[in-house]
Structure formats: C-alpha cells, structure tokens
Amino acid sequence: MKAIVYDDGKKDVSVVDWPHPGEDVSTHVDSSSEYQALVKVRQIGICNTDLEIIKGYVEGYRHVLGHEGVAEVEAVVHTETGQRVAGEISARYVNKRVVVEINCPCDKDGGECGKRGAEFERNHYPRRTVLGIIGRDGLMAEYCMVPLDNCIIVPDSVSDTEAVFSEPLAAAYRVVEQNAVNPDNDGERIAVIGDGKLGLLIAHVLVMSGCKHVCHFGRHKRKLDMVVGTDKVLGDAMPNGALGSFDVVVEASGSPDGVQRAVELLRPMGTLILKTTCSLNIDPESLPNWSRLANDIVVNEKTLLGSRCGPQSVGIELLEDPRTKALVEKMVDHVYSGFEEGMRALEHAGRKGALKIQLKIPRGEEAID
Ligand SMILES: [Zn+2]
C-alpha cells in the first residue's frame, strides 16, 4: 500500500510502498484492547508535530506519519488470534467512520498507572505508543491498524474535513480538562498567546466552555478575527494595564520566547499553561533568560502547568456545534487529494503562516462500483 513515511536514519520523507498492516497483525498488537481495527484512511490533517518529526524531533523515527485523520473501519480483528471477527462488535464498527485516539496504552496491568486515573493512563502510560509519533505507524497511509478501544465513531453531522480537527481540538480542550480555568468565575481573566492553529482552537474552546474574558494575543488580524467572542490584541505592544493582570495565561505561540511575555502578563499566584513544545536545535542566544523567568515565577508565586493531549470524544462533540464548524472551516487553507500530492501538502503545511492543510485519500479503483 502507499504511505508517507519519514525515515530519520536517512533523513528522508517520501511516499513509499509500505507493508499492508492487515498482512501481519502480530506487529500491531501491543495493546490492552481486546480487538484491533483495520481502518481505511479517508482524510488526514498535517500537524506541526509531523513537520517537527521530519526535522528530527523523534530520534530514530521510521514509521508512517500522521495522527490527525478520519478513517473507515474495514474489519475488526481479534488481538490475540489475529482473526477477523464477525458478530455484534463488528456490526457496530465496520463501514463506520472513526477518528482514532492518539495515545495507545499497552499491557495495562503491568504498572501502577491505572491507580493514578484515566487521564494519567491516557497521556503518560510509560509503555504507550502514539499514533504516528512514538513506536506506531500513523494515518498517512491507505490503511492503518489501531486498537479498537481508540476508535471513536464520527456522527453523520460531522464531515471528514471537520473530523480531522478532533485531535487538535482535544489538545485545546485539555486546558479545561485540567481544571486550569474556572468558567464559573465571571471575573476570571484569561490570555491566550498565539494565533497559530492551536492558539485559535484554544481561544475558541475557552469561549465555548463559558469563560467570559478571553484576551487573544496574536500577529495576524485575519486569524484573530476567526475566533468569535474574544478580545484581540494585535502585535507585540503590551496594552495599558495588561502587565501582571491575568489570572491564567495560555502560551501557544509555538516559539520559545513566547514564555517571557506570558509570564509578564500573569498576576501574582496566577497559572501559566505551556502548550508550546520546542525543537532542541534552537540557537541558545535566542532563548528567554531563565534567571529572569525564574525570579518572576518564584517571587510572584506563579504556577507553571504543562498541557498536552485531551479526550478526542470531546473534540467530536465540539465539532457538532455550528460555532466550531464555522471556525474550522475558516482554518482550512487547502485540501490536497491523493498520495501524488502528499509531498506538496507537506511543503504547503510548512510555509510560514499556513493554517490547516489536509490530504484526502481517494478510494482506490477497486472500491468504485
Ligand atoms: Zn496534531
């Protein structure tokens, strides 16, 4: 089958012939899920994480890329026997459109993590694999084998183009799941820094969750205007009275120096949520001064909170709301079609200022009747 694979050893990304995951199930069964789903990919989104992997973010990576996507379940396979199963479980999933929860936990009973709760297990199980990021082929292929427990059925009211956003929306929603904001507090002031894809989704999710005062800092009026219900601050200038005034600041600028401004905006005892991961190859000269940051954090007793993946089922729920549909439609810069356009799609996603680029995987000839 065709797949977009990054080989870190060769520093090469290309469309290649890759083993069909249905041929040898044993290589895909590192999972606590009793069943696996063989899925046929319909449409995928290109994430900054994919672009970082191509730059060497995951050492030794040699897998199919892609963790944002929507697919159709072709078969349900028993994890232990590798046999396709029929019956009720199959009827529930086969031919249904699904999105796939990015974190795939394995051998659940092997550790203490379960005792720390479902969120810990989802995001931090030490032997987890992560779709198209850690130890597992992703969705930029004709087919992919995934734990059935990770499949979330997409309702008819959510299109393919929309469903692809369930993973980044879930990551945005993680801020709410972590109880880092309190929508019941009418006086709470929240700043979101960054008008890239994740910054836009975070600002939107906060408004949707009932936060009353969301102030969105960015560099592009066109992008800031996509999110309804926020105050907007354009450019690098610090508005009067903004310094040290926010209860919560979400740093999603995608740049390591965003953290300096974020700390300055935060009031004493406020919470700074970090969403930006940074390449390790950045020139140290351009990094913020740690002593200055630390002094502010210590003296003003500010809290730093890291934040990563959220529940994709909530991502799908959010996509059923017309307000989310309106936002994500504006965020799609282009949908390419077919593996022959795969490299062009990756190149486009890497252009400065690009928002979401997606790739549709057309049905094979044999599927058209
Ligand atoms: Zn992503």
Side-chain angles (χ1 to χ4, degrees):
M1 67 165 188
K2 288 201 188 86
I4 301 178
V5 170
Y6 175 67
D7 185 334
D8 191 49
K10 296 182 186 154
K11 305 285 175 213
D12 173 69
V13 60
S14 45
V15 178
V16 297
D17 268 324
W18 196 248
H20 189 295
E23 279 164 18
D24 182 7
V25 177
S26 66
T27 58
H28 305 275
V29 296
D30 54 340
S31 165
S32 62
S33 192
E34 192 180 352
Y35 301 103
Q36 308 292 309
L38 177 64
V39 300
K40 187 163 175 40
V41 180
R42 293 171 64 95
Q43 197 158 322
I44 57 105
I46 298 168
C47 177
N48 285 357
T49 306
D50 300 317
L51 303 174
E52 289 299 313
I53 291 172
I54 294 168
K55 289 184 209 149
Y57 164 63
V58 182
E59 214 174 304
Y61 190 90
R62 188 170 173 269
H63 286 287
V64 177
L65 290 165
H67 57 273
E68 300 178 6
V70 56
E72 202 169 289
V73 177
E74 176 143 307
V76 174
V77 175
H78 197 275
T79 300
E80 300 225 312
T81 65
Q83 300 295 312
R84 292 186 177 209
V85 296
E88 196 198 328
I89 187 96
S90 170
R92 200 187 320 156
Y93 283 97
V94 171
N95 294 328
K96 297 279 166 51
R97 288 185 309 143
V98 294
V99 293
V100 184
E101 189 75 66
I102 175 169
N103 292 291
C104 305
C106 62
D107 56 40
K108 261 182 192 159
D109 52 5
E112 295 284 293
C113 308
K115 295 175 188 163
R116 297 186 188 168
E119 287 166 30
F120 187 99
E121 193 166 304
R122 183 193 69 209
N123 282 5
H124 303 290
Y125 196 80
R127 282 180 298 283
R128 74 188 187 280
T129 52
V130 185
L131 201 61
I133 300 176
I134 303 172
R136 171 178 284 275
D137 280 343
L139 292 169
M140 292 189 193
E142 289 177 77
Y143 292 90
C144 188
M145 187 75 85
V146 295
L148 187 66
D149 288 352
N150 284 52
C151 293
I152 299 160
I153 291 176
V154 178
D156 290 343
S157 62
V158 175
S159 71
D160 283 354
T161 302
E162 291 162 354
V164 169
F165 280 89
S166 68
E167 192 277 329
L169 263 171
Y173 179 79
R174 176 67 176 144
V175 170
V176 178
E177 186 186 54
Q178 286 173 300
N179 289 320
V181 294
N182 178 10
D184 293 333
N185 176 358
D186 286 349
E188 185 175 69
R189 298 185 70 239
I190 306 171
V192 176
I193 300 184
D195 56 11
K197 297 183 282 289
L198 191 54
L200 294 175
L201 294 174
I202 291 168
H204 172 73
V205 165
L206 291 172
V207 172
M208 291 277 290
S209 300
C211 298
K212 312 291 183 302
H213 308 283
V214 178
C215 190
H216 195 176
F217 292 73
R219 294 207 167 128
H220 312 85
K221 186 172 184 317
R222 176 183 80 91
K223 294 179 183 175
L224 289 174
D225 284 345
M226 288 180 182
V227 182
V228 176
T230 53
D231 295 327
K232 306 170 205 292
V233 178
L234 190 62
D236 287 329
M238 186 69 81
N240 278 345
L243 215 60
S245 71
F246 288 90
D247 301 290
V248 179
V249 179
V250 187
E251 202 296 305
S253 69
S255 158
D257 54 18
V259 67
Q260 183 63 52
R261 193 181 199 198
V263 169
E264 288 168 7
L265 286 168
L266 201 61
R267 68 158 167 81
M269 295 182 74
T271 301
L272 170 56
I273 303 170
L274 295 178
K275 292 298 271 187
T276 297
T277 50
C278 302
S279 158
L280 298 177
N281 303 324
I282 288 169
D283 173 13
E285 294 290 311
S286 72
L287 291 175
N289 182 306
W290 170 248
S291 305
R292 207 167 128 210
L293 284 176
N295 291 347
D296 188 337
I297 293 165
V298 172
V299 171
N300 293 303
E301 301 187 312
K302 296 175 179 178
T303 301
L304 280 189
L305 181 66
S307 179
R308 196 170 60 98
C309 302
Q312 259 166 272
S313 53
V314 176
I316 288 291
E317 277 169 36
L318 286 162
L319 284 163
E320 291 185 276
D321 190 297
R323 293 170 291 176
T324 308
K325 289 178 187 293
L327 171 62
V328 300
E329 193 196 323
K330 285 180 267 187
M331 285 177 63
V332 177
D333 275 354
H334 197 75
V335 180
Y336 287 86
S337 181
F339 285 100
E340 55 277 17
E341 295 201 311
M343 287 305 110
R344 217 178 321 157
L346 282 173
E347 179 273 318
H348 190 169
R351 283 183 216 160
K352 207 170 159 52
L355 287 176
K356 188 54 82 183
I357 301 298
Q358 297 190 355
L359 181 67
K360 200 185 266 295
I361 314 292
R363 317 287 303 170
E365 295 289 321
E366 78 286 358
I368 299 165
D369 54 27

PDB file of all heavy atoms in Angstrom, residues 340-354:
ATOM      1  N   GLU A 340      -0.067  11.348  -4.636  1.00  0.00           N
ATOM      2  CA  GLU A 340       0.797  12.093  -5.566  1.00  0.00           C
ATOM      3  C   GLU A 340       0.903  13.561  -5.140  1.00  0.00           C
ATOM      4  O   GLU A 340       1.837  14.252  -5.525  1.00  0.00           O
ATOM      5  CB  GLU A 340       0.325  11.936  -7.032  1.00  0.00           C
ATOM      6  CG  GLU A 340      -1.105  12.315  -7.318  1.00  0.00           C
ATOM      7  CD  GLU A 340      -2.118  11.206  -6.993  1.00  0.00           C
ATOM      8  OE1 GLU A 340      -1.806  10.240  -6.258  1.00  0.00           O
ATOM      9  OE2 GLU A 340      -3.242  11.327  -7.470  1.00  0.00           O
ATOM     10  N   GLU A 341      -0.066  14.042  -4.344  1.00  0.00           N
ATOM     11  CA  GLU A 341       0.004  15.424  -3.858  1.00  0.00           C
ATOM     12  C   GLU A 341       0.522  15.505  -2.413  1.00  0.00           C
ATOM     13  O   GLU A 341       0.570  16.578  -1.828  1.00  0.00           O
ATOM     14  CB  GLU A 341      -1.382  16.087  -3.929  1.00  0.00           C
ATOM     15  CG  GLU A 341      -1.901  16.244  -5.355  1.00  0.00           C
ATOM     16  CD  GLU A 341      -2.991  17.312  -5.484  1.00  0.00           C
ATOM     17  OE1 GLU A 341      -3.949  17.307  -4.686  1.00  0.00           O
ATOM     18  OE2 GLU A 341      -2.855  18.140  -6.399  1.00  0.00           O
ATOM     19  N   GLY A 342       0.893  14.348  -1.864  1.00  0.00           N
ATOM     20  CA  GLY A 342       1.296  14.294  -0.457  1.00  0.00           C
ATOM     21  C   GLY A 342       2.477  15.187  -0.119  1.00  0.00           C
ATOM     22  O   GLY A 342       2.467  15.908   0.879  1.00  0.00           O
ATOM     23  N   MET A 343       3.494  15.154  -0.980  1.00  0.00           N
ATOM     24  CA  MET A 343       4.695  15.961  -0.703  1.00  0.00           C
ATOM     25  C   MET A 343       4.381  17.449  -0.816  1.00  0.00           C
ATOM     26  O   MET A 343       4.887  18.261  -0.044  1.00  0.00           O
ATOM     27  CB  MET A 343       5.819  15.602  -1.693  1.00  0.00           C
ATOM     28  CG  MET A 343       6.469  14.258  -1.443  1.00  0.00           C
ATOM     29  SD  MET A 343       7.090  14.114   0.233  1.00  0.00           S
ATOM     30  CE  MET A 343       5.957  12.929   0.864  1.00  0.00           C
ATOM     31  N   ARG A 344       3.524  17.789  -1.789  1.00  0.00           N
ATOM     32  CA  ARG A 344       3.141  19.183  -1.948  1.00  0.00           C
ATOM     33  C   ARG A 344       2.359  19.654  -0.701  1.00  0.00           C
ATOM     34  O   ARG A 344       2.513  20.778  -0.238  1.00  0.00           O
ATOM     35  CB  ARG A 344       2.290  19.347  -3.199  1.00  0.00           C
ATOM     36  CG  ARG A 344       2.601  20.667  -3.891  1.00  0.00           C
ATOM     37  CD  ARG A 344       1.840  20.904  -5.177  1.00  0.00           C
ATOM     38  NE  ARG A 344       1.674  19.733  -6.019  1.00  0.00           N
ATOM     39  CZ  ARG A 344       0.684  19.641  -6.923  1.00  0.00           C
ATOM     40  NH1 ARG A 344      -0.185  20.619  -7.047  1.00  0.00           N
ATOM     41  NH2 ARG A 344       0.586  18.579  -7.680  1.00  0.00           N
ATOM     42  N   ALA A 345       1.520  18.774  -0.183  1.00  0.00           N
ATOM     43  CA  ALA A 345       0.742  19.123   1.011  1.00  0.00           C
ATOM     44  C   ALA A 345       1.683  19.387   2.198  1.00  0.00           C
ATOM     45  O   ALA A 345       1.506  20.363   2.940  1.00  0.00           O
ATOM     46  CB  ALA A 345      -0.233  17.993   1.341  1.00  0.00           C
ATOM     47  N   LEU A 346       2.684  18.525   2.373  1.00  0.00           N
ATOM     48  CA  LEU A 346       3.638  18.714   3.477  1.00  0.00           C
ATOM     49  C   LEU A 346       4.394  20.034   3.323  1.00  0.00           C
ATOM     50  O   LEU A 346       4.597  20.773   4.283  1.00  0.00           O
ATOM     51  CB  LEU A 346       4.646  17.563   3.529  1.00  0.00           C
ATOM     52  CG  LEU A 346       4.166  16.247   4.141  1.00  0.00           C
ATOM     53  CD1 LEU A 346       5.238  15.184   3.956  1.00  0.00           C
ATOM     54  CD2 LEU A 346       3.831  16.383   5.618  1.00  0.00           C
ATOM     55  N   GLU A 347       4.797  20.311   2.090  1.00  0.00           N
ATOM     56  CA  GLU A 347       5.547  21.550   1.829  1.00  0.00           C
ATOM     57  C   GLU A 347       4.667  22.761   2.152  1.00  0.00           C
ATOM     58  O   GLU A 347       5.096  23.714   2.795  1.00  0.00           O
ATOM     59  CB  GLU A 347       6.009  21.541   0.360  1.00  0.00           C
ATOM     60  CG  GLU A 347       6.792  22.769  -0.099  1.00  0.00           C
ATOM     61  CD  GLU A 347       5.886  23.891  -0.583  1.00  0.00           C
ATOM     62  OE1 GLU A 347       4.901  23.631  -1.302  1.00  0.00           O
ATOM     63  OE2 GLU A 347       6.160  25.047  -0.206  1.00  0.00           O
ATOM     64  N   HIS A 348       3.410  22.699   1.732  1.00  0.00           N
ATOM     65  CA  HIS A 348       2.482  23.814   1.970  1.00  0.00           C
ATOM     66  C   HIS A 348       2.264  24.016   3.480  1.00  0.00           C
ATOM     67  O   HIS A 348       2.288  25.134   3.979  1.00  0.00           O
ATOM     68  CB  HIS A 348       1.143  23.528   1.266  1.00  0.00           C
ATOM     69  CG  HIS A 348       0.217  24.708   1.250  1.00  0.00           C
ATOM     70  ND1 HIS A 348      -0.925  24.753   0.486  1.00  0.00           N
ATOM     71  CD2 HIS A 348       0.257  25.898   1.924  1.00  0.00           C
ATOM     72  CE1 HIS A 348      -1.540  25.914   0.668  1.00  0.00           C
ATOM     73  NE2 HIS A 348      -0.857  26.619   1.544  1.00  0.00           N
ATOM     74  N   ALA A 349       2.107  22.899   4.208  1.00  0.00           N
ATOM     75  CA  ALA A 349       1.880  22.994   5.663  1.00  0.00           C
ATOM     76  C   ALA A 349       3.065  23.653   6.358  1.00  0.00           C
ATOM     77  O   ALA A 349       2.906  24.285   7.412  1.00  0.00           O
ATOM     78  CB  ALA A 349       1.630  21.601   6.239  1.00  0.00           C
ATOM     79  N   GLY A 350       4.262  23.502   5.769  1.00  0.00           N
ATOM     80  CA  GLY A 350       5.460  24.062   6.384  1.00  0.00           C
ATOM     81  C   GLY A 350       5.690  25.538   6.072  1.00  0.00           C
ATOM     82  O   GLY A 350       6.579  26.167   6.648  1.00  0.00           O
ATOM     83  N   ARG A 351       4.880  26.097   5.161  1.00  0.00           N
ATOM     84  CA  ARG A 351       5.071  27.518   4.839  1.00  0.00           C
ATOM     85  C   ARG A 351       4.684  28.384   6.020  1.00  0.00           C
ATOM     86  O   ARG A 351       3.738  28.076   6.746  1.00  0.00           O
ATOM     87  CB  ARG A 351       4.180  27.922   3.651  1.00  0.00           C
ATOM     88  CG  ARG A 351       4.708  27.455   2.322  1.00  0.00           C
ATOM     89  CD  ARG A 351       3.799  27.954   1.196  1.00  0.00           C
ATOM     90  NE  ARG A 351       3.713  26.947   0.145  1.00  0.00           N
ATOM     91  CZ  ARG A 351       2.736  26.884  -0.763  1.00  0.00           C
ATOM     92  NH1 ARG A 351       1.760  27.772  -0.744  1.00  0.00           N
ATOM     93  NH2 ARG A 351       2.744  25.926  -1.664  1.00  0.00           N
ATOM     94  N   LYS A 352       5.410  29.463   6.178  1.00  0.00           N
ATOM     95  CA  LYS A 352       5.148  30.380   7.292  1.00  0.00           C
ATOM     96  C   LYS A 352       3.713  30.904   7.208  1.00  0.00           C
ATOM     97  O   LYS A 352       3.254  31.314   6.153  1.00  0.00           O
ATOM     98  CB  LYS A 352       6.145  31.543   7.214  1.00  0.00           C
ATOM     99  CG  LYS A 352       6.441  32.172   8.552  1.00  0.00           C
ATOM    100  CD  LYS A 352       7.607  33.149   8.443  1.00  0.00           C
ATOM    101  CE  LYS A 352       7.623  34.146   9.568  1.00  0.00           C
ATOM    102  NZ  LYS A 352       7.547  33.593  10.900  1.00  0.00           N
ATOM    103  N   GLY A 353       3.013  30.840   8.313  1.00  0.00           N
ATOM    104  CA  GLY A 353       1.669  31.417   8.362  1.00  0.00           C
ATOM    105  C   GLY A 353       0.569  30.496   7.876  1.00  0.00           C
ATOM    106  O   GLY A 353      -0.611  30.840   7.963  1.00  0.00           O
ATOM    107  N   ALA A 354       0.939  29.308   7.352  1.00  0.00           N
ATOM    108  CA  ALA A 354      -0.101  28.393   6.859  1.00  0.00           C
ATOM    109  C   ALA A 354      -0.956  27.907   8.021  1.00  0.00           C
ATOM    110  O   ALA A 354      -0.445  27.619   9.100  1.00  0.00           O
ATOM    111  CB  ALA A 354       0.539  27.211   6.146  1.00  0.00           C
TER     112      ALA A 354
END
